[in-house]
């Protein structure tokens, strides 16, 4: 198959632009800022889950607080009743029972007050930590997004430039040649490549000496293909000839 050297050079440039676009995409996907954003988004999701649990726990504790407060109020009334009754009862046996009940009630009230204080502190801690954790996580995600946008910007700008060059170049090549190029690219990936010394720059396999001798003897407009991967190989002879057009 024969394709004029200028078109072969254009196909090579087209293929190299495609490779540049793919490299840009790979670089964007492997940016450390992207990995950090992914990690922080996961952390934020976990933080929201933990926050929901904390708020639920806080509401549950609110019910516990109300119950403890009600129990504490009953003990206070009982304690007050015992003291009031002791002030008017003279019977020794009755007074002994009241004093015993008063001491018991006081101990229970003190223990209940301590328990109530602990539950209130836990409830407040859950409520406070819930909001703070989500805010910190969301702030970290926002900062990571800004860092990623900053790191991606030059790559995205380069991507826009490459796509414009690709479009302009495709407009210079005959439609039938483009169809063959597109089919080959779909089949093997890198459709057109240089020969670097003895190496095919599509599959990076070294060509044997007889194959290279055959390629050298061919005219500049003859299309050569890598015997390993099938890519069109643009020879130095062809590139040199393309500059004369």
């Amino acid at each position: 198959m024969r394709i004029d050297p200028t078109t072969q050079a254009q196909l090579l440039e087209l293929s190299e632009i495609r490779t540049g676009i793919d490299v840009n995409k790979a670089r964007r996907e492997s940016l450390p800022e992207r990995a950090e954003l992914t990690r922080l988004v996961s952390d934020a999701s976990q933080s929201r889950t933990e926050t929901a649990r904390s708020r639920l726990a806080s509401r549950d504790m609110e019910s516990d607080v109300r119950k403890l407060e009600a129990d504490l109020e009953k003990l206070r009334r009982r304690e007050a009743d015992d003291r009031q009754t002791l002030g008017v009862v003279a019977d020794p046996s009755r007074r002994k029972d009241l004093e015993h009940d008063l001491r018991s009630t006081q101990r229970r009230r003190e223990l209940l007050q301590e328990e109530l204080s602990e539950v209130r502190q836990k409830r407040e801690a859950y409520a406070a930590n819930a909001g703070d954790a989500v805010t910190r996580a969301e702030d970290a995600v926002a900062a990571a997004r800004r860092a990623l946008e900053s790191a991606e910007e030059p790559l995205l700008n380069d991507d826009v430039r490459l796509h414009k060059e690709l479009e302009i170049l495709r407009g210079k090549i005959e439609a039938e040649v483009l169809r063959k190029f597109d089919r080959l690219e779909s089949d093997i990936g890198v459709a057109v490549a240089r020969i670097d010394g003895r190496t095919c720059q599509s599959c990076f396999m070294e060509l044997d000496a007889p194959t290279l001798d055959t390629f050298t003897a061919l005219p500049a407009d003859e299309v050569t293909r890598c015997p390993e991967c099938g890519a069109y190989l643009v020879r130095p002879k062809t590139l040199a000839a393309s500059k004369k057009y």
Side-chain angles (χ1 to χ4, degrees), residues 103-115:
R103 288 192 298 270
S104 175
T105 302
Q106 286 175 328
R107 285 194 299 271
R108 289 166 59 194
R109 174 180 55 77
E110 291 168 357
L111 292 173
L112 196 61
Q113 284 177 325
E114 292 177 3
E115 182 181 357

Side-chain angles (χ1 to χ4, degrees), residues 48-180:
R48 284 190 290 271
T49 298
E50 292 174 353
T51 293
R53 290 173 179 168
S54 293
R55 286 173 177 163
L56 181 60
S58 179
R59 286 196 295 269
D60 290 343
M61 286 185 175
E62 182 64 34
S63 177
D64 293 340
V65 166
R66 287 196 296 270
K67 183 178 182 304
L68 289 171
E69 287 174 341
D71 291 343
L72 185 60
E73 183 58 29
K74 291 177 183 178
L75 289 174
R76 285 172 176 160
R77 287 199 299 268
R78 181 166 182 170
E79 187 177 349
D81 289 343
D82 284 348
R83 292 183 187 279
Q84 185 178 6
T85 304
L86 276 171
V88 296
V89 171
D91 179 66
S93 177
R94 176 62 175 151
R95 288 184 65 83
K96 183 177 180 181
D97 290 340
L98 285 169
E99 288 170 353
H100 175 76
D101 187 72
L102 178 59
R103 288 192 298 270
S104 175
T105 302
Q106 286 175 328
R107 285 194 299 271
R108 289 166 59 194
R109 174 180 55 77
E110 291 168 357
L111 292 173
L112 196 61
Q113 284 177 325
E114 292 177 3
E115 182 181 357
L116 177 59
S117 177
E118 291 175 1
V119 172
R120 280 174 172 167
Q121 289 175 2
K122 288 181 181 179
R123 178 196 60 185
E124 292 168 1
Y126 273 124
N129 291 338
D132 290 345
V134 170
T135 299
R136 288 194 300 269
E138 290 177 347
D139 287 347
V141 168
R145 288 192 192 281
R146 291 192 294 272
L148 176 59
E149 289 171 0
S150 177
E152 273 192 314
E153 184 176 4
L155 296 174
L156 290 172
N157 290 339
D158 194 43
D159 205 49
V160 169
R161 176 185 63 79
L162 289 172
H163 275 91
K164 286 182 179 178
E165 291 179 3
L166 188 72
E167 183 179 355
I168 292 170
L169 189 56
R170 286 182 68 88
K172 297 178 180 179
I173 302 172
E174 292 181 9
E176 181 58 30
V177 175
L178 273 179
R179 280 193 290 271
K180 291 178 180 179

Side-chain angles (χ1 to χ4, degrees), residues 5-6 9 220 236-245:
T6 296
K237 179 179 183 178
T238 302
L239 289 174
S242 73
K243 295 176 183 178
K244 299 177 182 179
Y245 281 74

Side-chain angles (χ1 to χ4, degrees), residues 189-218:
V190 179
V192 183
R194 299 172 186 266
I195 298 178
D196 184 7
R198 296 177 54 186
T199 303
C200 165
Q201 292 300 295
S202 174
C203 64
F204 298 99
M205 295 294 291
E206 286 194 355
L207 307 180
D208 57 55
T211 298
L212 287 173
D213 290 342
T214 300
F215 285 177
T216 300
L218 292 172

